[in-house]
Amino acid sequence: MNSRTCEDVLDLLEEKEDCTEEELTLLLRCEEPQVVHRLFTLADAKRRKYVGDAVHLRGLVEFSNFCRKNCLYCGLRKENRKLKRYRMSWEEMYALCERIARLGVKTIVLQSGEDPWYEAKPFAEFIHRVKKLQVAITLSVGEREPWEYALWRDAGADRYLLKQETFDRELFARLHPDDDYDTRLECQKVLRELGYQVGSGNMVGLPYQTPEALALDIKKFQEWDFDMIGIGPFIPHPDTPLGHFTMDPEKKCLLTLKVLALTRILTKTTNLPATTALGTLVPGGRERGLRCGANVLMPNFTPHPYRSQYTIYPGKICVQEAWGGCLSCMKEMVTKLGRTIATDYGDRVRPIR
Ligand code: SAH
Ligand code: SF4
């Protein structure tokens, strides 16, 4: 490591919009308020330059909380027997999508645990039907076979979100008893080849996660040139093996915002959500995310009583909100920040290199 100071790295980021993993680590470790403030201001300026002031809304439907996996951090893990499980029927899901589309929301995100009950073929038929509502469809249902991804793409699915969670191999292995690091990346390759806009992301504040590991995540985000990247704090769930790993929320929030800001600067036009987890971690968390790089919000449209049962992590905000309430709340949030709500589909536009 040379003797660069944090200010030097910020100069470099401002001008070149790039830096090394070591330089990222230096900034991630730095807690000097002026440095952090300058980083966030810079990320906000780059966000404006590359994706403008419009915020894209992605309507979230959490249609099943069954999961065949046991990721150590997640409340939906199979071995969590305390969770009351639910599955929405195709008809229930379709009626919901119709209502969301009628509200003018242009993207519907269909998310669940890894639940094989939803077989590939009926899922494809469902996607085909929902596409007639003139919405973009994002799938977030975990690892499946290439032929299944292909079938859904042919049926009209536009985007796929499959987070790596961490690019640190050792940490990945510790957290994922059922998953293989390279298999997950192989899924990303297949999805990209099929023409999906692809999304990855990480969690910040995981046990055993170092600033070096976070710097690696950011470099990998850049290298893979993902179309969207979900960066959210890890929130311990008491009914999981990682339930007791606590960290000061404000500290974790700042670290998450730093990762978000640096990701914006290095990836330029990527779609970056201000995550619900960030809003759960600290009051006003999503607003802070929108002010240091984020350009996406995900209003929750999961119907009651299911919404309160999709407890990936505890204390999730928006769970008590009436159906559709998240939309008006977010519109207000965006207006208050002096930003606008996007009216287009919000596909990712690659930067000119
Ligand atoms: N089963 C699918 C989608 C549902 S999980 C999948 O795993 O891809 C969606 C996201 O929830 C995960 O990518 C993870 O980043 C996030 N998540 C899980 N447990 C969490 C926790 N305890 N705190 C914060 N985010 C969590
Ligand atoms: Fe299942 Fe996804 Fe949770 Fe892992 S993160 S246990 S795959 S819902």
Side-chain angles (χ1 to χ4, degrees):
M1 181 76 208
N2 56 32
S3 59
R4 265 186 203 287
T5 66
C6 291
E7 292 288 353
D8 292 337
V9 181
L10 285 169
D11 289 343
L12 190 73
L13 285 175
E14 190 162 357
E15 221 182 294
K16 299 256 173 12
E17 297 167 346
D18 198 8
C19 69
T20 64
E21 226 170 288
E22 288 74 21
E23 288 160 345
L24 288 173
T25 308
L26 191 71
L27 282 183
L28 289 168
R29 282 193 189 282
C30 175
E31 284 178 2
E32 262 175 66
Q34 317 89 282
V35 171
V36 176
H37 182 257
R38 191 175 157 208
L39 170 64
F40 291 171
T41 309
L42 182 62
D44 199 41
K46 298 294 180 191
R47 185 269 308 152
R48 189 170 307 119
K49 172 178 168 191
Y50 284 109
V51 293
D53 277 337
V55 175
H56 299 282
L57 300 181
R58 319 295 199 198
L60 180 63
V61 174
E62 299 152 329
F63 63 89
S64 160
N65 68 354
F66 279 85
C67 190
R68 63 189 167 117
K69 289 196 172 160
N70 268 310
C71 307
L72 257 58
Y73 43 80
C74 178
L76 304 194
R77 66 202 303 276
K78 188 178 169 189
E79 277 172 24
N80 180 11
R81 314 237 184 261
K82 288 196 187 160
L83 184 66
K84 188 171 162 29
R85 307 276 171 171
Y86 70 87
R87 274 187 187 113
M88 287 175 69
S89 69
W90 297 116
E91 276 319 306
E92 223 175 347
M93 282 161 73
Y94 183 76
L96 185 63
C97 291
E98 255 187 331
R99 287 173 74 198
I100 299 169
R102 241 185 272 136
L103 291 172
V105 174
K106 295 283 192 189
T107 296
I108 296 180
V109 181
L110 300 168
Q111 190 179 83
S112 68
E114 289 203 11
D115 186 358
W117 186 89
Y118 297 86
E119 287 175 16
K121 258 194 165 158
F123 209 145
E125 283 156 24
F126 172 73
I127 290 165
H128 186 73
R129 233 176 124 200
V130 174
K131 275 306 280 183
K132 297 201 172 118
L133 300 171
Q134 314 260 301
V135 289
I137 297 179
T138 303
L139 301 177
S140 174
V141 301
E143 294 181 15
R144 291 274 193 142
E145 294 298 323
W147 68 269
E148 299 181 282
Y149 289 152
L151 205 62
W152 299 339
R153 177 75 188 130
D154 285 345
D158 302 271
R159 309 178 190 140
Y160 206 100
L161 180 63
L162 181 66
K163 290 171 64 171
Q164 192 71 17
E165 317 295 357
T166 174
F167 278 85
D168 181 313
R169 280 183 183 273
E170 206 178 308
L171 185 54
F172 184 99
R174 274 187 172 194
L175 299 173
H176 299 105
D178 318 282
D179 291 320
D180 174 71
Y181 186 98
D182 294 304
T183 307
R184 181 150 309 188
L185 285 175
E186 197 48 46
C187 287
Q188 281 288 353
K189 275 192 201 145
V190 169
L191 289 162
R192 186 171 298 215
E193 277 162 20
L194 288 168
Y196 282 92
Q197 288 172 54
V198 291
S200 186
N202 67 352
M203 274 182 279
V204 179
L206 286 163
Y208 320 112
Q209 190 179 43
T210 58
E212 284 76 8
L214 289 170
L216 176 69
D217 289 350
I218 299 166
K219 274 316 245 190
K220 288 287 181 185
F221 293 157
Q222 182 189 39
E223 182 187 320
W224 278 76
D225 196 23
F226 295 112
D227 301 299
M228 45 199 180
I229 300 166
I231 296 162
F234 160 63
I235 300 179
H237 189 304
D239 302 325
T240 66
L242 303 182
H244 306 292
F245 281 89
T246 48
M247 180 173 167
D248 172 61
E250 183 53 31
K251 231 179 160 172
K252 199 188 293 189
C253 175
L254 272 179
L255 190 57
T256 308
L257 293 174
K258 280 192 204 167
V259 175
L260 180 64
L262 290 165
T263 301
R264 166 58 69 209
I265 299 167
L266 264 67
T267 66
K268 303 184 172 80
T269 64
T270 302
N271 285 319
L272 298 175
T275 59
T276 306
L278 191 55
T280 299
L281 182 69
V282 294
R286 287 171 303 180
E287 289 86 339
R288 289 168 74 181
L290 286 171
R291 290 167 65 190
C292 51
N295 69 323
V296 171
L297 283 171
M298 297 178 70
N300 192 328
F301 286 104
T302 307
H304 300 288
Y306 307 136
R307 195 184 294 195
S308 61
Q309 294 162 20
Y310 198 81
T311 42
I312 282 180
Y313 51 82
K316 205 157 128 194
I317 49 167
C318 313
V319 162
Q320 301 307 328
E321 202 80 30
W323 192 88
C326 287
L327 187 61
S328 34
C329 164
M330 285 182 179
K331 283 183 174 167
E332 202 182 305
M333 183 193 302
V334 168
T335 312
K336 267 196 191 149
L337 292 171
R339 307 264 283 274
T340 54
I341 299 284
T343 50
D344 61 353
Y345 287 98
D347 293 318
R348 195 264 181 118
V349 182
R350 284 221 153 69
I352 302 156
R353 291 191 188 269

